Amino acid sequence: MTLWTADEIAAATGGSATTDFAVDGVAFDSREVGERDLFVALTGEQTDGHRFLDQAFAQGASGAIVSQPATHPAVRVDDTFAALENLARAARARVAGKVIGVTGSVGKTSTKEALFAALSRAPGIRAHRSVKSYNNHTGVPLSLARMPADTDLAVLEMGMNHPGELAHLTTLVRPHVALVTAIAPAHTEFFPDESAIADAKGEIFQGLEPGGTAIIPFDSPHRDRLIAAAKPYAGRIVTFGMNREADVNAADAMTVRGGGSFVSARVGGRQLSFTIAQPGRHWVSNALAVLAVADAVGADLALAGLALGELGGLPGRGARVTVRVGDGDAVVIDESYNANPASMRATLAVLAQESGRHLAVLGEMRELGDGSAAFHAGLADDVIAARVEAAVLVGQAMRPLAEALEGRLDFVHVPDATQALDRLRARVRPGDVVLVKGSNGVGLSRLVSGLANGMS
């Protein structure tokens, strides 16, 4: 089915079409353009998408949104970013299905993927989701613009690092269900304290459709603050968590062979037992959030439980990569996409449960502001508890952790991912389990790729 015609794009954006065309997808990164895509030529401080029009059409684009004269099929507008947002609004307006918005300090993308797997499992359901981590001021409208008109269920991730961002994004998404996964220290460079982070995350509820459902982590110290933020906008508030008083809670959770969990959950007056493939206590919380959302949209809870049992790790977010080392293998836990103090502790706890010798490559956590040194040094006990025998610490901000580990652990402190790979190669042995985690800007995904491509 055609996603957009030139006339529909022009009507949505207030632009004028130079010729007739139809598209099946939308992209603003010319490197991601595929056959029959619409290329949105965004302009910014660093580059101008109009410079890449020829490349986009060479890769198969059928049309473009432009603000300058173009020789290719296009819709001409005054402002291409405003046009992308208007196209997103038009996409949302034509969808009659349920829309779910997901935010939180940790677990957004993983929970979004788990939700998509759970909700799309039912026969005949046409589900849509944000891809990758397209959750910011450009990623959210792009994800909406890509949403087919006949979508039954959509799961859209929303992120922020400043107050007011979610208040705007949620008006584009207009969710029927809005989920906050957790509140934790993240982007603290831009917030005075965690309460301010909770307030910013609570902005997601402002866009709820009338009668919509707000889903809130019961175990969070900011629970009541989030509930207060939701009350003016939500028709229903649902809590999830390990505590028995949560609306959706874990009556029992135990670790099973392979590191996952077997969970008996209560959802309202019902009980559901299922297995979570992903290891870690944080995944039990993610799973309860998934069940709360599934229940809110009337999805099949049994199918949701089956999906959680089959969910694999995502690249950069828990995927396990087997690498050849000498005459044996080592396992790399790829958590290279992002890091904050809460997610660092959660993944170190997962490492603690692994058999074999434990190594860790830990990249600096960014955007932590004045508390950065304390947050980094505060990981020392978690590293020791994870039974790490050797560590590679990456980035200048890791110095406080290096000082806290002095004399307690075999480690090296290096400035970048390239040197980290060299130091790790000298240490890793067959049978090792290597945790790789850090903020995305550190570039530890390259280290994972380097390991996967060979240890020589």
Side-chain angles (χ1 to χ4, degrees), residues 23 53 68 87 97 117 120 148 154 167 199 206 226 229 235 237 240 248 287 337 354 362 373 377 381 423:
V23 300
L53 282 167
Q68 301 172 14
L87 192 63
S120 62
D199 290 340
Q206 296 175 21
L226 290 170
I237 296 174
F240 69 93
V248 177
Y337 187 80
E354 299 288 334
L362 304 178
D381 289 344
R423 295 300 188 97

Side-chain angles (χ1 to χ4, degrees), residues 415-432:
D416 54 48
T418 299
Q419 292 191 39
L421 178 58
D422 292 339
R423 295 300 188 97
L424 181 62
R425 279 176 166 157
R427 283 169 167 75
V428 66
R429 304 196 301 247
D432 286 351

Side-chain angles (χ1 to χ4, degrees), residues 104-403:
S105 302
V106 292
K108 290 187 299 295
T109 302
S110 299
T111 303
K112 177 257 297 182
E113 291 295 324
L115 273 167
F116 179 77
L119 300 177
S120 62
R121 195 178 180 97
I125 291 293
R126 294 175 292 272
H128 174 75
R129 74 190 187 280
S130 312
V131 297
K132 300 182 181 178
S133 287
Y134 283 166
N135 62 20
N136 64 3
H137 67 290
T138 53
V140 170
L142 176 67
S143 297
L144 283 165
R146 289 173 166 177
M147 183 167 59
D150 62 350
T151 296
D152 296 311
L153 289 165
V155 188
L156 296 163
E157 178 182 343
M158 288 179 270
M160 63 87 204
N161 57 18
H162 288 85
E165 287 183 81
L166 277 179
H168 175 64
L169 294 179
T170 193
T171 62
L172 298 177
V173 174
R174 289 169 38 215
H176 296 91
V177 180
L179 164 68
V180 176
T181 59
I183 303 297
H187 310 301
T188 53
E189 179 180 353
F190 310 111
F191 296 94
D193 53 34
E194 260 191 37
S195 294
I197 295 172
D199 290 340
K201 294 297 184 184
E203 293 172 9
I204 192 174
F205 304 127
Q206 296 175 21
L208 273 170
E209 288 288 271
T213 302
I215 298 181
I216 289 169
F218 185 93
D219 303 323
S220 171
H222 307 287
R223 175 191 67 220
D224 293 341
R225 200 176 195 96
L226 290 170
I227 289 174
K231 276 185 175 179
Y233 308 99
R236 181 177 176 228
I237 296 174
V238 176
T239 59
F240 69 93
M242 305 302 293
N243 192 298
R244 298 289 181 93
E245 295 183 21
D247 298 313
V248 177
N249 64 74
D252 193 22
M254 63 185 73
T255 303
V256 297
R257 181 174 296 181
S261 299
F262 180 77
V263 179
S264 292
R266 292 192 181 95
V267 184
R270 292 158 292 170
Q271 186 156 325
L272 176 71
S273 296
F274 59 96
T275 299
I276 306 170
Q278 295 301 303
R281 190 80 168 174
H282 59 295
W283 259 106
V284 177
S285 180
N286 291 347
L288 295 172
V290 168
L291 293 181
V293 173
D295 186 53
V297 298
D300 189 315
L301 296 183
L303 290 180
L306 288 173
L308 289 165
E310 297 174 357
L311 191 68
L314 304 173
R317 291 184 172 85
R320 293 180 175 236
V321 182
T322 300
V323 299
R324 193 69 179 171
V325 181
D327 58 356
D329 293 327
V331 173
V332 177
I333 302 174
D334 178 13
E335 287 276 358
S336 60
Y337 187 80
N338 209 353
N340 58 46
S343 64
M344 275 283 196
R345 290 190 171 91
T347 48
L348 284 165
V350 169
L351 180 64
Q353 299 173 16
E354 299 288 334
S355 59
R357 192 173 74 117
H358 297 172
L359 280 68
V361 181
L362 304 178
E364 63 187 18
M365 303 176 290
R366 297 184 173 177
E367 296 185 354
L368 293 179
D370 293 340
S372 178
F375 283 128
H376 283 85
L379 295 175
D381 289 344
D382 299 275
V383 173
I384 298 301
R387 298 184 288 111
V388 173
E389 294 190 28
V392 181
L393 309 180
V394 189
Q396 178 61 31
M398 271 293 175
R399 180 168 297 281
L401 178 56
E403 293 171 352

